Amino acid sequence: MSHGTELSVELTGGLLHDWQQRNRQATIPHAITELRKAGNLENLRRLADPSVGPYRGRYPFLDTDLYKTLEGLAYEVDRDDAPAGAREFYDEVVELLEQAQADDGYLNSYFQDPDQPKQPWSDLGWGHELYNLGHLIQAAVAARRRLSDGRLLTIARRFADLVVEKYGDHGEEVVDGHPEVEMALVELYRETGDEDYLTQARLFVDRRGRGKLKHTIFPGEYFQDHVPFRELPSVTGHAVRMAYLAAGAADVHLETGDPTLLAALERLWDDMVATKLYLTGGLGSRHSDEAIGDRYELPSERAYAETCAAIATMQWAWRMFRATGKASYLDVYETVLYNAYAVGLSADGTAFFYDNPLQRRPDHEQRSGAEDGGELLRRSWFGCPCCPPNIIRWMSELQDHVALHRDDTLYVGIYADARVTTEDLTVTVTTNYPWDGEITLTVEDAPAEERAIALRIPRWASDAQLDGQSVDAGWAVTTRNFKRGDVLRLTLPMAPRAHGSHPYLDATRGAIAVARGPLVYCVEQQDSAAPVDDLLLTPTAVTKAIARRQDDHLVLELTAGIAPAPPPELYPVLTEQTPGSAIDEVPVTFVPYFLWGNRQALAMRVWLRTERED
Ligand SMILES: [Zn+2]
């Protein structure tokens, strides 16, 4: 398929719009306060003024917290309802970056620190210098496109040009320990037309897995550096690194058309979806090395599923959709968006999960990532705060991942109240999605010529109807001479679903999870009179669940069985007696998974025990 053409999308109402409002009103002002408190600005300021004090924090990638926030702010600071203090913060950081950049273009406040014993470029495995550059580029491109402010782009190009000179076609053959710069360099190529940046991105993808990195604490697999990208047998190693690398490789494919990259990406994606992704779309099952884990290794209570990995998976999914046109990539995108990503942020927008488990045991002490102690649920910031500013920039960019226009077809893939405009077609989308599945698309403006509008039918939507006709999962395409006032009416049935697990998935084999539309649901102890560990569900009970409005969302009310008292032994000897059935029933309320953990820290389950149905 050809690349997309000009398209603008504005989210005008509904859940995604409310999330963006919350981002402006709560999350961004909160992040600005936290970034100032954490010393991210001082780390830049001290390069010109050593009296500011020593480097704050212990990681060499803390500048990226600023870059990701700037990337989000590029979408926000010019709005009438811009976040409080955002413009001042944006300008202050840009000016600090201008002052901090070294004469040769290098920029990293950790390595430029005069007291830092390590020299720049001396530790590409752990130094994150190109990862830093990647996030700088993405902020710079966003600022250029959204604000017509080229200051960051000037800084980013100077740094990128230094990298091309050092590590380009004729330079040293290295890669960074943390992929990210690949996506960014392709974007820089798109913005500037300078092919050196595309070449550099391709080189970084191609060089990986050929022993270019020094592996110290972590094995090569952690960095996806044990085999070349095209030969990777499965998504593996550090989850965020893997998904950023794949998204970058997809970008290289989008610009070069390299079929060997696409073949590897499709194979890796299909394997991930079939064996390594949580029901919520979370990626990464191991706290150890923040790794993806083996096939079917998907424990609920120790799920890692880092919020950044969710964002990276969405970035990869969107690029796969662009590369292939297949709706199935957006099915996964949507699952991640409403579950694994959204759960990373508190309902009030000022507290964050780093890892996103699917179960909380009553006596669990939440420990996020490498952090010690702290709050039992989400916390206001982290010593390694990669996730919060990543949430911010992605919230600001939600409208960029709703629709695509190419080959005279407008693809609407994510449903929300929105106004979608191509060069000659304007439509408005009206819906209460994801709370209900009625979606109305009204044509506001259309050319005399024929156009096509493609609407995504999610795989879960059996019996979907478009203008009264049954439509199958995939794209439902309507081609005609659209006129102003034409309406397309899509109905996606939202019956509650009971999900099981693949038989090899030991952690949840035989258990049931509840979903409705794109949302995974869970039960928190507050909403059950019986301990959540003793609840028994049946598929029939799930299909009889009643959806009820509560505050601004829908809960599901159903009747669960209560299991008899468990045997006292951890490992009882089995007899031929049939397992006991429920001794009683209890009403239980399920809440959307993304909303769990906004009350007192009690037990929570996505997967529940089952009762045999006779
Ligand atoms: Zn993170």
Side-chain angles (χ1 to χ4, degrees):
M1 294 175 83
S2 69
H3 287 187
T5 44
E6 277 303 303
L7 172 79
S8 100
V9 180
E10 185 191 358
L11 296 172
T12 54
L15 183 61
L16 300 186
H17 172 262
D18 291 349
W19 285 357
Q20 293 197 317
Q21 294 273 70
R22 180 183 60 186
N23 198 37
R24 284 172 206 128
Q25 291 165 3
T27 315
I28 288 174
H30 171 81
I32 289 174
T33 301
E34 292 291 336
L35 286 163
R36 289 191 185 281
K37 202 163 69 182
N40 294 63
L41 278 68
E42 306 309 304
N43 284 344
L44 293 168
R45 211 182 310 276
R46 70 185 296 278
L47 299 178
D49 177 8
S51 73
V52 168
Y55 185 84
R56 302 267 300 276
R58 62 190 177 107
Y59 297 107
F61 48 80
L62 296 178
D63 294 348
T64 62
D65 306 332
L66 294 173
Y67 297 148
K68 282 183 273 191
T69 305
L70 292 181
E71 184 183 335
L73 289 184
Y75 287 76
E76 309 291 355
V77 296
D78 262 5
R79 298 178 56 92
D80 293 340
D81 57 347
R87 170 56 83 169
E88 294 77 9
F89 180 83
Y90 172 88
D91 284 329
E92 184 179 350
V93 177
V94 171
E95 283 161 27
L96 280 172
L97 291 166
E98 284 176 326
Q99 291 158 16
Q101 187 163 36
D103 290 341
D104 65 354
Y106 184 84
L107 182 53
N108 180 307
S109 68
Y110 179 84
F111 285 100
Q112 283 172 276
D113 180 346
D115 298 330
Q116 170 56 246
K118 280 188 189 171
Q119 292 302 305
W121 307 123
S122 64
D123 182 11
L124 280 169
W126 190 246
H128 290 76
E129 285 149 296
L130 298 174
Y131 171 83
N132 272 259
L133 170 62
H135 281 300
L136 168 61
I137 290 172
Q138 288 175 327
V141 171
R144 181 75 185 75
R145 288 184 187 158
R146 307 295 302 199
L147 303 173
S148 300
D149 178 0
R151 290 178 294 167
L152 279 174
L153 195 65
T154 302
I155 300 170
R157 285 196 76 167
R158 287 183 62 205
F159 195 0
D161 290 344
L162 174 68
V163 167
V164 169
E165 187 188 313
K166 280 182 75 70
Y167 304 130
D169 250 337
H170 306 292
E172 204 182 331
E173 292 189 15
V174 300
V175 294
D176 192 274
H178 200 315
E180 210 286 333
V181 75
E182 297 80 2
M183 270 189 272
L185 284 165
V186 176
E187 207 61 38
L188 188 58
Y189 156 70
R190 291 177 182 139
E191 182 61 26
T192 64
D194 187 335
E195 295 204 2
D196 284 351
Y197 303 135
L198 176 60
T199 301
Q200 194 64 51
R202 180 179 57 74
L203 288 171
F204 284 145
V205 172
D206 287 349
R207 282 176 190 162
R208 221 168 182 84
R210 298 178 199 278
K212 308 294 183 195
L213 267 179
K214 269 182 282 175
H215 307 144
T216 50
I217 305 168
F218 298 104
E221 188 179 345
Y222 175 89
F223 307 99
Q224 296 79 39
D225 194 41
H226 55 311
V227 292
F229 183 80
R230 292 169 184 78
E231 296 165 31
L232 277 173
S234 178
V235 292
T236 192
H238 184 274
V240 181
R241 282 170 167 79
M242 179 70 235
Y244 277 162
L245 175 62
D251 268 332
V252 172
H253 161 75
L254 279 164
E255 298 303 330
T256 63
D258 181 343
T260 64
L261 270 183
L262 182 61
L265 285 162
E266 289 180 309
R267 179 174 53 74
L268 291 168
W269 176 273
D270 290 347
D271 181 64
M272 175 180 77
V273 171
T275 68
K276 293 191 171 180
L277 215 51
Y278 281 98
L279 180 69
T280 56
L283 178 66
S285 63
R286 291 187 190 170
H287 284 240
S288 172
D289 294 0
E290 304 184 302
I292 290 173
D294 295 336
R295 292 187 177 100
Y296 306 109
E297 180 189 345
L298 294 165
S300 290
E301 72 274 55
R302 293 289 290 164
Y304 198 65
E306 184 181 336
T307 307
C308 285
I311 293 164
T313 305
M314 286 189 280
Q315 291 179 312
W316 184 12
W318 185 258
R319 286 157 178 76
M320 294 304 284
F321 159 56
R322 286 190 55 196
T324 66
K326 288 182 185 167
S328 59
Y329 292 108
L330 296 187
D331 288 354
V332 176
Y333 176 97
E334 181 177 53
T335 297
V336 179
L337 172 67
Y338 284 115
N339 302 287
Y341 167 67
V343 74
L345 183 58
S346 63
D348 72 0
T350 63
F352 311 89
F353 276 138
Y354 195 112
D355 49 305
N356 296 284
L358 283 73
Q359 175 183 3
R360 182 179 191 277
R361 293 187 184 277
D363 57 351
H364 182 65
E365 184 195 342
Q366 171 74 11
R367 289 181 185 277
S368 284
E371 315 277 323
D372 295 327
E375 298 91 334
L376 289 174
L377 293 166
R378 296 174 184 86
R379 57 186 74 189
S380 60
W381 207 247
F382 304 96
C384 176
C386 52
C387 302
N390 221 354
I391 289 175
I392 285 174
R393 66 161 178 158
W394 198 252
M395 280 297 175
S396 294
E397 295 167 8
L398 291 179
Q399 68 285 333
D400 294 350
H401 305 95
V402 162
L404 184 71
H405 180 234
R406 65 178 167 201
D407 303 333
D408 286 339
T409 300
L410 173 62
Y411 295 84
V412 180
I414 299 295
Y415 298 117
D417 282 354
R419 184 177 170 84
V420 182
T421 307
T422 72
E423 57 221 345
D424 56 14
L425 183 66
T426 299
V427 301
T428 53
V429 182
T430 315
T431 181
N432 284 319
Y433 198 86
W435 309 118
D436 80 37
E438 301 294 330
I439 295 138
T440 304
L441 191 144
T442 306
V443 175
E444 305 290 342
D445 197 13
E449 301 81 33
E450 201 171 69
R451 289 286 181 270
I453 296 177
L455 301 177
R456 183 179 60 92
I457 312 302
R459 200 180 40 181
W460 50 259
S462 49
D463 303 324
Q465 302 226 319
L466 176 59
D467 291 334
Q469 304 288 314
S470 288
V471 281
D472 295 330
W475 293 111
V477 184
T478 306
T479 306
R480 69 167 82 129
N481 288 316
F482 285 103
K483 306 234 172 347
R484 179 180 166 79
D486 279 358
V487 170
L488 298 177
R489 284 197 177 80
L490 178 64
T491 302
L492 303 174
M494 289 265 184
R497 304 187 302 279
H499 282 274
S501 305
H502 190 283
Y504 296 172
L505 206 168
D506 295 73
T508 54
R509 181 173 52 226
I512 283 182
V514 179
R516 179 179 181 277
L519 300 180
V520 174
Y521 275 72
C522 69
V523 59
E524 291 188 275
Q525 191 57 66
Q526 285 90 338
D527 300 317
S528 168
V532 295
D533 291 343
D534 291 338
L535 295 177
L536 301 177
L537 279 192
T538 63
T540 304
V542 174
T543 56
K544 288 181 181 168
I546 306 294
R548 180 174 62 78
R549 185 136 209 110
Q550 180 176 290
D551 302 326
D552 59 353
H553 58 275
L554 282 188
V555 297
L556 294 177
E557 292 183 336
L558 54 79
T559 302
I562 302 176
E569 306 95 326
L570 195 51
Y571 303 108
V573 174
L574 296 179
T575 67
E576 289 186 0
Q577 288 175 349
T578 53
S581 54
I583 54 168
D584 204 350
E585 290 186 333
V586 62
V588 178
T589 301
F590 281 67
V591 297
Y593 168 71
F594 78 81
L595 283 172
W596 94 271
N598 283 292
R599 295 176 282 178
Q600 189 188 352
L602 300 178
M604 179 277 290
R605 273 180 174 271
V606 167
W607 291 99
L608 285 96
R609 295 165 62 185
T610 49
E611 183 182 6
R612 190 176 300 164
E613 287 186 287
D614 296 321

